[in-house]
Amino acid sequence: MARTPEPNTAVGPGVRLALRAASPAATIVSVGGGEVGGRDVVVIAGPCAVESEAQVLAAARAVQAAGGHILRGGAFKPRTSPFSFRGLREDGLDLLVRARALTGLPFVTEVMDPRHLEAVASRADMLQIGSRNMQNFTLLDEVGRLRMPVLLKRGMSATLDEFLYAAEYVLAGGNTQVILCERGIRTFEPSTRYTLDLNAIPMLKRLTHLPVIVDPSHGTGHAWMVGRMASAAVAAGADGVMIEVHPDPAAALSDGEQSLTPQAFAKVTAELAAVAAAVGRRLRIGSPAILDAASR
Ligand code: PEP
Ligand code: MN
């Protein structure tokens, strides 16, 4: 029989802050004025990498137009090959700041190295810790010292217990604003880039009070699969999704194969709103700033 990690137990010398026993109420993480982990399903979207001003502004407008809530885009990119495009670095961060100013969308971007932390944290609304860095304990410790939202992606070969222990590093530093992201795991199946572990959603929701979101773009590697798997994630109880969107996926410098066009993304958000309603959640179309303005 499969071994289920025991919910509601504190293990080891310290109390495990990520587990439900430590905090029975759901943690709600506030990002740019919007909430992640409440009733609303949150859509994070944008290009894999920030490539140019025109590209990131077009992507941000597309995300905003289709009802996304948070912009994503990598300025510091972890790449398998050092010869691939590794990001615009600080210039990329400045372009994200510009995109936020134009659209009102808060943004999340990856921090790969404690040496870049100040540059990233001083500009971003949320820090992303990538799959390859889920067990970079120095980075987790440093991020734990901050008081800002952290999107922690599951290591591609990490068990859920290892994932929760990684979150524990951030929580132990006093930073309670952690969102977990299932992004696909390595299996024997070669037809998809990774295998999106939908089991992780109800299991994590049972074990932890932290919000859980899903990245079907990396989880599948195929743009045509993203919408269906995003719907499946919301149906399974995810608090949000993170989707790669590019104004011209064929020309993307990274992850074009799995990136949606603005048109395809708009269709996906509309479908997600219907799925969210069917499972007692709500997907509000529009960024917090836009929704606030509309309700005034
Ligand atoms: C990304 O979000 O672009 C990314 C690199 O993700 P991961 O760390 O999950 O591979
Ligand atoms: Mn990517």
Side-chain angles (χ1 to χ4, degrees), residues 48 72 77-78 110 128 130-132 153 183 215 218 242 244:
C48 179
R72 63 147 288 148
K77 290 303 301 176
E110 179 160 353
Q128 178 171 321
S131 187
R132 290 154 192 83
K153 299 190 82 174
R183 48 78 72 205
D215 170 356
H218 291 87
M242 181 156 83
E244 287 186 338

Side-chain angles (χ1 to χ4, degrees), residues 34-227:
E35 292 186 342
V36 186
R39 180 174 171 217
D40 287 355
V41 170
V42 170
V43 177
I44 304 173
C48 179
V50 176
E51 300 169 1
S52 68
E53 179 164 6
Q55 175 252 14
V56 74
L57 295 185
R61 283 195 198 96
V63 170
Q64 181 191 36
H69 308 104
I70 300 172
L71 178 66
R72 63 147 288 148
F76 293 90
K77 290 303 301 176
R79 302 305 301 271
T80 299
S81 162
F83 309 117
S84 301
F85 175 64
R86 293 164 69 178
L88 298 179
R89 302 171 68 89
E90 298 212 10
D91 291 344
L93 297 175
D94 290 336
L95 293 177
L96 287 164
V97 168
R98 200 160 146 60
R100 175 176 59 200
L102 285 182
T103 59
L105 294 172
F107 72 85
V108 56
T109 193
E110 179 160 353
V111 59
M112 289 171 52
D113 186 319
R115 290 172 296 185
H116 308 145
L117 192 52
E118 199 190 321
V120 180
S122 63
R123 294 170 173 89
D125 299 281
M126 175 156 66
L127 302 172
Q128 178 171 321
I129 306 282
S131 187
R132 290 154 192 83
N133 271 318
M134 187 204 84
Q135 287 187 316
N136 181 338
F137 300 119
T138 313
L139 182 60
L140 296 174
D141 273 339
E142 289 299 320
V143 162
R145 283 189 231 285
L146 304 178
R147 297 292 177 265
M148 69 181 289
V150 176
L151 179 58
L152 178 64
K153 299 190 82 174
R154 180 182 182 183
M156 62 188 76
S157 301
T159 65
L160 296 181
D161 210 33
E162 289 163 342
F163 191 16
L164 290 170
Y165 269 118
E168 207 65 47
Y169 275 80
V170 182
L171 299 173
N175 190 351
T176 57
Q177 300 170 75
V178 179
I179 298 170
L180 302 174
C181 180
E182 159 60 33
R183 48 78 72 205
I185 53 174
R186 279 231 156 121
T187 69
F188 49 81
E189 177 51 56
S191 67
T192 49
R193 186 176 179 191
Y194 296 96
T195 296
L196 190 66
D197 182 11
L198 293 175
N199 286 352
I201 305 161
M203 186 61 83
L204 286 171
K205 294 297 291 181
R206 178 182 167 85
L207 294 172
T208 178
H209 52 86
L210 298 172
V212 177
I213 71 158
V214 170
D215 170 356
S217 304
H218 291 87
T220 63
H222 299 298
W224 61 269
M225 288 181 76
V226 166

Side-chain angles (χ1 to χ4, degrees), residues 12-23:
V15 172
R16 292 182 64 177
L17 298 173
L19 300 186
R20 280 204 177 266
S23 179

